[in-house]
C-alpha cells in the first residue's frame, strides 16, 4: 500500500510527487497551467511553520538534476561522450 495513515509516513512519496510535478512543468511549460498554480499554492501553504509542524515534515525536495545525479552514481563521464547528442536526439 503506497499511502499510509499518518502524513509523515508518506513524506518521501509526497516529496517525490511534488518534485515530479515541478519537473514536468519545467519540461512542458504550456501544460498544467491551472493545476501547477494550485500545486504551488498548496506547497507554499505547507511551508508555513504552523502547517509544517502539523504535518511533521516539508513537502519541498530539491529538483534532481542530471549532472549531479550521474556524478553521485559514478557515471559523470557519460556527459562527455561524443555520442550523447545522437543518443538523446528525437527519433523522426
Amino acid at each position: 500500500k503506497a499511502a499510509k495513515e499518518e502524513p509523515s509516513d508518506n513524506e518521501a512519496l509526497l516529496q517525490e510527487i511534488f518534485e515530479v510535478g515541478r519537473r514536468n512543468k519545467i519540461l512542458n511549460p504550456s501544460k498544467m497551467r491551472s493545476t501547477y498554480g494550485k500545486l504551488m499554492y498548496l506547497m507554499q501553504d505547507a511551508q508555513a511553520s504552523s502547517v509544517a509542524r502539523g504535518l511533521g515534515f516539508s513537502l519541498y525536495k530539491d529538483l534532481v538534476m542530471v549532472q549531479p545525479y550521474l556524478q553521485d552514481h559514478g557515471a559523470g563521464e557519460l556527459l562527455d561522450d561524443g555520442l550523447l547528442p545522437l543518443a538523446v536526439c528525437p527519433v523522426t
Side-chain angles (χ1 to χ4, degrees), residues 33-91:
R33 291 189 185 269
S34 64
T35 308
Y36 185 75
K38 294 172 190 173
L39 178 74
M40 288 300 102
Y41 282 132
L42 178 65
M43 197 169 188
Q44 287 174 353
D45 290 347
Q47 291 297 104
S49 59
S50 59
V51 177
R53 271 194 312 272
L55 282 174
F57 66 95
S58 171
L59 290 175
Y60 178 79
K61 173 186 173 187
D62 285 335
L63 288 174
V64 178
M65 302 304 214
V66 173
Q67 184 175 9
Y69 179 86
L70 289 175
Q71 288 172 341
D72 289 347
H73 291 83
E77 67 278 356
L78 285 175
L79 295 176
D80 297 325
D81 190 318
L83 295 175
L84 181 64
L86 179 63
V88 298
C89 71
V91 176

Side-chain angles (χ1 to χ4, degrees), residues 15-25 32 63:
Q15 288 174 343
E16 191 72 20
I17 289 169
F18 276 86
E19 194 261 344
V20 168
R22 289 168 48 218
R23 179 178 297 282
N24 185 56
K25 183 61 176 175
M32 251 180 29
L63 288 174

